[in-house]
Structures are given as C-alpha cells and as structure tokens.
Amino acid sequence: MRALLACLVLAATPVLAAPDPHSYANSDALRMRHAHIDLAVDFESRTLHGFVDLHLDRRDPAARELVLDTRALTIESVHAVHADGRYAPARFVLGNEDRILGRALRITLPADSERVRVHYRSSPQASGLQWLPPELTAGKRHPFLFTQSQAIHARSWVPLQDSPAVRFTWTARITTPKGLLARMAANNHPHDAADGDYRFEMRQPVPSYLLALAVGELKFAPLGDRSGVYAEPELLEAAAHEFADTERMIEIAESLYGRYRWGRYDLLVLPASFPFGGMENPCLTFLTPTVIAGDRSLVELIAHELAHSWSGNLVTNRDWNHFWLNEGFTTYVENRIAEAAFGVERADMGRQLAERDLVEELPTLAPALRRLRLDLAGGDPDEGMTEVAYTKGMLFLRLLELRFGRETFDPFVRKWFDEHAFGAVDTDDFLAFLRSELLERHPGKVSGEEIAAFIEGEDLPAFAPRTHASRFAAIDALRTEWLAGRRDLGALDTGAWATQERIHFIEGLPAETTAAQLATLDAQLALSRSGNSEIAFAWYLRAIALDYRPAFAPMDEFLQRIGRRKFVLPLYTALMRAHADFARASYAKSRPNYHPITRASIDELM
Ligand code: BES
Ligand code: ZN
C-alpha cells in the first residue's frame, strides 16, 4: 500500500490542474490581468463605495460571460468597455448566496469587450473589513479601518476573481477623511501628507488575497533605507525599537534565497483586534501590536512575514488545498532567518515549541486535515490553517535539508523560488521538481515511501526530524528539582531566561503542581501581569488546566484587550470545558472588540 502510494505521489505526468474549489471565477475563459480600484472610505456608514475596473485576458474567444466572486456586496451598476472605448451598461445577475463562497456575479460581456467597470458598495458586516471606533485604537481619537483578505475575504470588499491562481497588477485611488492616512500593500511613499486623497500602484502581479488597505491615524518611522514602520503615534517609538532587526533579516533572506523583489518592505502595526499575528501583504506586512514585547523576543514573526516575500507572495499555492506550500516553506525560511540572525539555540527553541504544538494539535484534527495535501472542497479554507501546514510542512523541508545537506538543499529551494516566481504551484509541481532536481541527482537519500508518509500520511512520521534544544533540557531539569522541593526558585537566575525558556517552563508544569507553587512562580516571574503576550497566553492556558484562579481576572482583561485568534480561541475553548459561565460572561464583554473572523470562530464554539 505504502509503495503504491509512493508511486502515485511521484507519478511523472502531472494531471491537469483542477479548478479552485473556493472560487466561482471562470478564469480559464476570461482572466483578470489588471485592476483599478477607486474607493471612498466612509466611517459613518461603515462602507467602501466606488468602482473597480477589471482588465481581462480573453483565453476563450467564445466566452461571453465573466464570472466574479462577491460576498455581501451591493452591485450598483456594471458597464462593459467596448473596443472603441465606449462604456455600455452590461447585464448582470448575482447568484444564490453560499455560506462559505458568497455569491457569483455573472456579467454578460460583448465579444469586443475586455474590460468591465463595476460600481458597488461594501456591507458594514463585510467579512474582510474591520471598522473600529476610536475607543478600540491606541490613541482613542480617530476611527480605524483595516482589511484582511486571506483566504477568501477580498471578495467582500472588491468584486474580482478571488483565487490565488489568478495574478494581476493593480492601481488604486482611495479617499478618506482628512487627517487619516491610507496605506495599501504596494510601494507606499513614506512621506505622503495625510490629505485624504491617496494613490497606489502595484506593478508586480499579485493574487487577490494579498490586496490590503489600512486607514487610521498612522505615523511613519524609518528602519532602514528600504524599510520602516507605520503605527499610531502612541506605539511608534516602541515599534521602531522592537523591529530594529528588520533590515538585517531582509539581507539574510536575500543571501539565502535571492534578491528581495518587492521594492520597499514596511511594517504596519494594527489595533489589538487584528485577528492574526501577522499578514504578509506585499511591501507592507500587517502586524498585531502584541508582537511588541519590549525586548525584541517575538520578532520571529517579522522573519515569518518577510519570508512570505519568497514563499507565498512570489511562489503561490494554486488553491488552498496546497496551503502548506505557502506556510510550510515560510515556517522553514523563518527558522533559517532566525538561526542566522539570533543563533542556533534560539532557532532550535522556536522549532521545538512549534513541534510540541503540532504533536498536541494532530490528535484533535479530523484525519483529512492531518495531511499536507488537503481536500477542502465544500469546506472553509480557513480550516486548513493548522499546525499541519506550518510545522509538518516545515519538518518535511527540514528532513530534506538534513538528508541532502545545506550545500545542496539551499540552492534547490532558491531555484524553486526562481523558476516559479510570480506563478502558482501545487503539491504535484513540488513533487515533480523534487524528483528531477534532488532525488534523481542524489539517489538513495530519501525514499518515495518517506515522502508519501509526509504528504499523504495522517501522522507525524516516526522518522521526522525532532529538535531537542539544549537549553530546554536544562529548564526541564530545573523544573523537576523545583517541583520536588530540592531547589528554591528565588535562587535561580530566572531573570536571564529567554521568552522561549519561560514558555517551555510553563508548558511543562504537570497536573500535580500545587496552588502554592503556582503562586510562587507567578510572583517571581510576574506571569499573570506579563506584558509579553506569548508568555501571558501560555500561562493563562496552563492556569485554566491547573485551575489556578488568581490568573482569571488578568486573563479576562487580556481577552477584552486582545483579539488575536491564536490566543483567544484556545483560551475560550479551554474555558468552555470547565468554566463555561466565566467564558460566556467574558465573551459577552470582548465580542464587540473582535474582528468578524474571530467572532465567527468563537460564536461557533459557544
Ligand atoms: N498568512 C498568515 C496568516 C493567515 C493565514 C491569514 C491563513 C488568513 C488565513 C500569516 O503569515 C501567518 O502565518 N501568521 C501567523 C504568524 C506566524 C509567526 C505563525 C499568525 O498570525 O499567527
Ligand atoms: Zn504565514
């Protein structure tokens, strides 16, 4: 069986790429190649209002219908632009609403037209937009708007072909109230005046999930010649200090994988309700403010989003079934950047924590979600956002690195990026490339069975490379001695422990840890009030499991303040098991502060 799988996995003839299960678009017949977006940002009505021009490639000369993706958009009019430049009203219909996919917009297109203009308005409930009142910003003076298009939310603010296989260049004009700055995932001019009228241009073809816009009271601080950070004035100095390593990380990534091809690399710090840690919007990574710990200890997240400039943004998963090609590669590259920037020990600790998360998550997942190659048809693509894509994907690449050696593997990865730059890829493309570039040239290093076990298998293979960070072994020994009463915590130099060592200490606290021991630990390391979001999160999660009540009030406050899904979803999940009343009361307060994406996942849980 295994051997048969191995043959299938490595089959030489690639089958025709299946259509994207998460898009209605008929991009095989008519494909967007350029978009111009013209939108007014209205905070009063919480809508974007304006039009988009779509320039099309006609791949099928007989095609007379253009199909676009939309969700909760009001379509006001559609015009087709004829060969002579004339705009004529075009017939259109909106299909039935699908809970996950939204509605298809079907436009009748004359034979001599390769351009349409759609006038529309977004809904205040658009899944890809969060409209924040001033109270939910750091400065509390001005409202804030940001988009989150991945995976299939771009369609809730622009009608388009919302599939990662479709790349297009774009330009935009955005108008906002005066005094607010608009930034998009394009080469922003750091010194634009906040006059309420902004223009943007993305000259590299990008997929729709990388369209992004943020509007708020934003100020800029440079980090290097081609990098800088945007944040609300209250956070700007802390952000610039935290992200001082950015330029160095870009240089490291370039030395490994080739030139950074996107011009500027800026960061934009969002309000705390941002549902993710980071989002790799081209030229302009969006970040949670919870990454600002004060000691630069969480900046692997910057390495991660930066790495997407190669894996994901340059070489993109064809559809969300191949998400591991985006995130597994990125997690691998992130770890290589971390190693070169901060040393092997820190990189090892980060990897080991990720491996632990994977091993914990695997048994909770449906078998179909435990494979690298997914089959998400009929489901929500966000279901694929698990440790499997990130960490199992990374470990597969690390296995190859260890078997072939970096002198062979690094140029292989670089060639993968170069040869597929600005393209869309799937798992079979990678396997074919792996076979011709590595397996056939260096036979006997990895077997087909081993590859199949990673790609199609539901477990983490026993031969997967595992990390044993030396500093974690020391932490384990200290924890054991302290718990047995043989060592006094006060006598240890806990002040010198790195963030990852603290997290490892916390995660390893056994069920028998006493309330008195937890209180001592809490007092010595100030865990319940930690300003480091990752430490606080690890502590609260353990506090729930060990029923340590003094942490509950600060946890409640954390849940009100921070909307990052990676933190709030596991905390509410754990609370619902033993403290459902507390969870419900807490969520009643925090829900208004959360992003629609976060609300949707926690509503389901409750
Ligand atoms: N692209 C992802 C975020 C994402 C994935 C948004 C799927 C929507 C759907 C981003 O690069 C990411 O992976 N962020 C992580 C950070 C990381 C260090 C693991 C996050 O948000 O936690
Ligand atoms: Zn990522």
Side-chain angles (χ1 to χ4, degrees):
M1 179 62 193
R2 265 285 160 76
L4 179 67
L5 257 180
C7 298
L8 286 175
V9 163
L10 293 175
T13 39
V15 265
L16 212 69
D20 182 345
H22 295 109
S23 172
Y24 292 112
N26 61 335
S27 46
D28 284 342
L30 286 157
R31 179 174 290 231
M32 340 165 20
R33 119 181 100 72
H34 180 79
H36 175 72
I37 300 165
D38 188 317
L39 292 172
V41 178
D42 182 3
F43 283 98
E44 239 109 88
S45 65
R46 298 193 158 194
T47 57
L48 298 175
H49 185 210
F51 67 85
V52 61
D53 280 331
L54 300 176
H55 300 241
L56 309 163
D57 271 338
R58 196 182 278 276
R59 299 188 159 197
D60 172 0
R64 292 294 175 271
E65 183 182 65
L66 170 68
V67 188
L68 303 178
D69 294 297
T70 76
R71 179 187 287 128
L73 294 181
T74 304
I75 306 298
E76 294 171 341
S77 68
V78 181
H79 287 81
V81 187
H82 290 266
D84 59 5
R86 211 166 26 91
Y87 283 70
R91 287 227 313 245
F92 66 91
V93 330
L94 274 172
N96 291 335
E97 165 93 29
D98 177 273
R99 192 177 57 85
I100 293 166
L101 303 180
R103 304 173 75 176
L105 172 59
R106 299 175 184 278
I107 300 171
T108 308
L109 198 70
D112 72 334
S113 174
E114 284 165 9
R115 211 172 118 194
V116 293
R117 173 168 292 189
V118 183
H119 278 270
Y120 68 98
R121 183 185 287 284
S122 67
S123 150
Q125 280 80 42
S127 59
L129 302 176
Q130 191 176 17
W131 298 88
L132 294 169
E135 309 84 80
L136 294 183
T137 66
K140 309 201 189 317
R141 286 177 298 272
H142 298 280
F144 204 107
L145 163 70
F146 66 86
T147 65
Q148 168 57 44
S149 298
Q150 195 180 11
I152 54 170
H153 302 288
R155 64 189 68 178
S156 75
W157 65 284
V158 188
L160 41 55
Q161 297 188 319
D162 199 8
S163 166
V166 177
R167 296 180 98 88
F168 55 98
T169 55
W170 58 266
T171 51
R173 178 185 186 198
I174 304 289
T175 55
T176 73
K178 279 203 175 45
L180 298 185
L181 191 64
R183 297 289 78 172
M184 289 192 83
N187 272 293
N188 294 285
H189 298 288
H191 300 297
D192 274 353
D195 61 3
D197 192 348
Y198 304 94
R199 283 164 210 261
F200 304 93
E201 181 177 15
M202 172 47 82
R203 291 178 193 213
Q204 329 260 44
V206 290
S208 55
Y209 78 92
L210 296 176
L211 270 185
L213 165 70
V215 181
E217 189 192 10
L218 291 165
K219 298 282 183 253
F220 177 80
L223 297 169
D225 286 345
R226 56 176 161 175
S227 56
V229 57
Y230 293 92
E232 288 188 69
E234 285 69 19
L235 292 176
L236 190 62
E237 211 185 302
H241 174 268
E242 200 77 18
F243 306 140
D245 292 315
T246 303
E247 178 60 32
R248 199 158 62 91
M249 294 199 286
I250 304 174
E251 283 161 17
I252 290 168
E254 288 189 309
S255 73
L256 286 166
Y257 304 114
R259 188 171 65 86
Y260 175 77
R261 305 192 198 212
W262 303 90
R264 294 193 56 85
Y265 181 72
D266 292 318
L267 307 169
L268 188 147
V269 181
L270 290 166
S273 65
F274 182 52
F276 298 106
M279 177 63 214
E280 66 273 25
N281 298 315
C283 309
L284 186 68
T285 283
F286 281 14
L287 289 175
T288 169
T290 64
V291 68
I292 305 176
D295 59 2
R296 301 180 182 163
S297 65
L298 304 178
V299 297
E300 275 82 348
L301 197 128
I302 310 289
H304 179 97
E305 305 313 335
L306 170 66
H308 274 303
S309 306
W310 287 264
S311 43
N313 300 7
L314 195 59
V315 180
T316 308
N317 50 210
R318 189 185 307 289
D319 62 53
W320 301 111
N321 286 328
H322 308 282
F323 186 50
W324 81 273
L325 290 172
N326 271 18
E327 296 298 347
F329 268 78
T330 295
T331 305
Y332 174 79
V333 171
E334 166 202 332
N335 200 245
R336 293 294 303 271
I337 297 173
E339 180 187 312
F342 311 118
V344 177
E345 278 193 335
R346 180 161 161 181
D348 279 356
M349 290 192 290
R351 207 172 47 246
Q352 190 172 332
L353 290 178
E355 288 166 19
R356 187 195 143 111
D357 289 345
L358 170 65
V359 168
E360 281 204 344
E361 190 177 17
L362 268 178
T364 72
L365 296 174
L369 291 177
R370 308 211 300 237
R371 306 181 181 152
L372 288 181
R373 189 206 304 266
L374 297 171
D375 181 6
L376 296 167
D380 189 326
D382 289 349
E383 282 173 26
M385 198 196 177
T386 72
E387 287 292 330
V388 172
Y390 287 78
T391 304
K392 193 177 184 181
M394 175 269 284
L395 289 173
F396 177 44
L397 297 174
R398 184 158 164 82
L399 173 79
L400 299 175
E401 175 206 307
L402 293 171
R403 295 281 180 89
F404 291 93
R406 285 186 176 179
E407 59 298 346
T408 303
F409 187 65
D410 289 356
F412 163 81
V413 175
R414 186 171 177 152
K415 192 167 179 190
W416 167 251
F417 293 145
D418 282 340
E419 289 202 354
H420 302 88
F422 300 105
V425 289
D426 64 19
T427 302
D428 287 331
D429 294 327
F430 179 70
L431 292 174
F433 190 77
L434 174 63
R435 182 165 22 79
S436 65
E437 296 293 325
L438 278 186
L439 304 184
E440 282 170 6
R441 294 186 193 181
H442 308 273
K445 303 236 186 252
V446 186
S447 71
E449 282 89 347
E450 287 173 317
I451 292 168
F454 255 103
I455 301 287
E456 318 287 355
E458 288 160 7
D459 298 306
L460 181 62
F463 60 86
R466 299 297 299 269
T467 308
H468 304 281
S470 52
R471 281 162 69 178
F472 281 177
I475 291 284
D476 289 334
L478 288 175
R479 192 195 311 97
T480 306
E481 297 219 320
W482 169 64
L483 286 167
R486 290 197 298 271
R487 236 179 211 276
D488 186 8
L489 210 54
L492 296 176
D493 187 14
T494 52
W497 289 0
T499 291
Q500 291 157 323
E501 290 174 285
R502 287 162 194 258
I503 293 172
H504 185 71
F505 192 95
I506 293 165
E507 288 188 342
L509 289 169
E512 318 78 67
T513 316
T514 66
Q517 285 171 324
L518 291 169
T520 311
L521 185 63
D522 195 4
Q524 166 122 359
L525 295 175
L527 295 175
S528 290
R529 306 259 159 218
S530 176
N532 183 307
S533 57
E534 292 282 354
I535 293 174
F537 167 67
W539 174 243
Y540 298 145
L541 206 54
R542 217 56 209 121
I544 298 169
L546 303 176
D547 204 17
Y548 176 67
R549 296 305 178 94
F552 277 44
M555 170 167 52
D556 187 38
E557 191 273 330
F558 180 91
L559 289 165
Q560 312 302 310
R561 190 164 43 86
I562 291 171
R564 185 172 170 189
R565 198 168 61 162
K566 173 185 154 192
F567 294 152
V568 301
L569 191 57
L571 288 175
Y572 279 122
T573 306
L575 282 169
M576 281 306 281
R577 278 191 214 115
H579 306 277
D581 290 344
F582 177 89
R584 288 210 179 83
S586 171
Y587 186 49
K589 290 178 284 173
S590 60
R591 191 177 186 280
N593 308 352
Y594 289 175
H595 188 281
I597 294 178
T598 314
R599 274 183 210 167
S601 8
I602 300 177
D603 285 351
E604 197 167 313
L605 176 75
M606 303 262 157

